[in-house]
Amino acid sequence: MAGARASRASLAPLAWLALAGLFAQGLALALGSVALAPGELLAVLAGDGEALHRTLVLELRLPRALAAFGTGALLALAGALMQILLRNPLADPYVLGLSGGASVAALAAMLAGLAATLVAGAAFAGALASTLIVFGLAHGGGSWTPTRLLLTGVVMAAGWGALITFLLAVSPVERLPGMLYWLMGDLAYAGSPWPVLAVAATGLVVVLPLGRTLNVLARGGLQAAALGVAVRPLEWTLYLLASLVTAVAVTTAGSVGFVGLMVPHMLRLRLGNDQRVILPASLLAGGTLLTLADSLARTLIAPQQLPVGVITALLGVPTFLYLLHRSRR
């Protein structure tokens, strides 16, 4: 009886987050340079409505809103996995340089004229390489410390930033505006949302059965090994999955920062540290946050559009500074 009550209590926040995600999707479909009333939006979704409204909603806004949701879900999942792996609440693909590594590799592949699938593969390789470098340098000969991890991530991010600047400097002039918007995080050219949504769903299916094991790993590698957990294969699984989802998010929307930092950490403050709840909650909350941020980016100075990375940075920088100050107590 107590177990059933606990299970229902853990499902309640997921249900609320799912409703918040649906609400964010509705706002994304209604808002823009041409705002739609609720009745007009419902008419379009029911298969009716004016031709202009159907074009706006079904061909322009809906694919972008779904891509924003999937990208935010992937970034939040990557952040949750990195925080488990490194046992550090400040771990995040953007802060630790994973996004930078993926961006450098993706830009290099674009400049080489490679196909979209090869660009995604290059982004995965860049994210994985950055993960391994940060992990190896931060670990050193002893255990991780928050200071060592953050310093390593900042240095790696600065190094990737220098390489990005070099790639921009040698790029053809006609490509620079699009590349700059992509680097700041832009969903205007996200394309089909189904690949990013499929990867998000697959990632959740892979990690959710590992929830109990991840709860043990979050307490420390030695303790997990003492309890019979195969620590090294599990860590490699988390490495590869975090790199893959970061790469897919980067190739979809460019370098969008701080979603992976804010969402899992705030959820842990509210919901505890049970990964069976935190991981699906992170996907739902991350998707909702980026959908709302993209809606704000499209409407704040409409008809002009801001890169969504600007909105997440304005939210994420003060949040990161607050969490960093809080971790020193």
Side-chain angles (χ1 to χ4, degrees):
M1 183 68 69
R5 285 197 299 267
S7 178
R8 287 194 296 269
S10 65
L11 289 176
L14 298 181
W16 283 109
L17 287 171
L19 290 175
L22 290 174
F23 176 74
Q25 289 290 306
L27 280 181
L29 298 181
L31 297 179
S33 56
V34 177
L36 299 181
E40 294 173 328
L41 177 60
L42 291 175
V44 171
L45 295 178
D48 200 358
E50 298 180 13
L52 174 61
H53 293 169
R54 290 198 301 270
T55 300
L56 279 174
V57 172
L58 300 179
E59 297 182 18
L60 298 177
R61 293 181 183 175
L62 182 58
R64 178 165 175 166
L66 292 175
F69 188 90
T71 302
L74 289 181
L75 291 171
L77 176 62
L81 294 177
M82 294 302 297
Q83 289 169 14
I84 297 168
L85 181 64
L86 301 178
R87 268 89 63 185
N88 191 309
L90 300 179
D92 162 74
Y94 186 82
V95 175
L96 296 181
L98 271 73
S99 295
S103 296
V104 167
L107 286 176
M110 290 176 188
L111 289 177
L114 300 182
T117 53
L118 295 179
V119 171
F124 170 66
L128 179 60
S130 187
T131 303
L132 295 176
I133 293 171
V134 171
F135 173 80
L137 294 178
H139 188 276
S143 59
W144 294 291
T145 64
T147 301
R148 180 185 296 173
L149 182 65
L150 288 174
L151 286 176
T152 305
V154 168
V155 171
M156 283 302 304
W160 294 128
L163 289 176
I164 288 172
T165 302
F166 171 77
L167 291 174
L168 293 175
V170 300
S171 299
V173 176
E174 61 272 11
R175 294 189 184 182
L176 284 179
M179 294 174 67
L180 287 172
Y181 256 70
W182 184 84
L183 285 171
M184 290 185 286
D186 185 25
L187 285 155
Y189 304 100
S192 173
W194 303 119
V196 68
L197 290 172
V199 172
T202 303
L204 182 61
V205 169
V206 170
V207 298
L208 202 54
L210 301 175
R212 290 181 180 273
T213 306
L214 295 178
N215 285 338
V216 177
L217 181 64
R219 297 178 178 272
L222 292 177
Q223 183 174 350
L227 294 174
V229 175
V231 174
R232 189 58 61 185
L234 182 59
E235 288 182 337
W236 273 105
T237 300
L238 297 184
Y239 282 143
L240 293 172
L241 187 57
S243 300
L244 174 62
V245 298
T246 300
V248 173
V250 166
T251 53
T252 302
S255 184
V256 179
F258 296 105
V259 176
L261 169 68
M262 294 187 292
V263 171
H265 190 74
M266 293 302 182
L267 288 174
R268 286 192 176 92
L269 293 178
R270 295 288 298 175
L271 304 178
N273 203 32
D274 188 349
Q275 310 308 322
R276 294 169 295 181
V277 177
I278 293 299
L279 291 173
S282 294
L283 264 78
L284 292 171
T288 300
L289 174 63
L290 196 61
T291 302
L292 293 174
D294 186 56
S295 299
L296 184 60
R298 289 190 296 108
T299 58
L300 195 61
I301 56 173
Q304 291 181 300
Q305 298 184 19
L306 291 171
V308 68
V310 173
I311 305 298
T312 59
L314 290 174
L315 295 173
V317 169
T319 302
F320 176 78
L321 293 176
Y322 166 75
L323 295 176
L324 183 60
H325 174 74
R326 190 173 182 271
S327 68
R328 295 174 58 189
R329 296 179 182 176

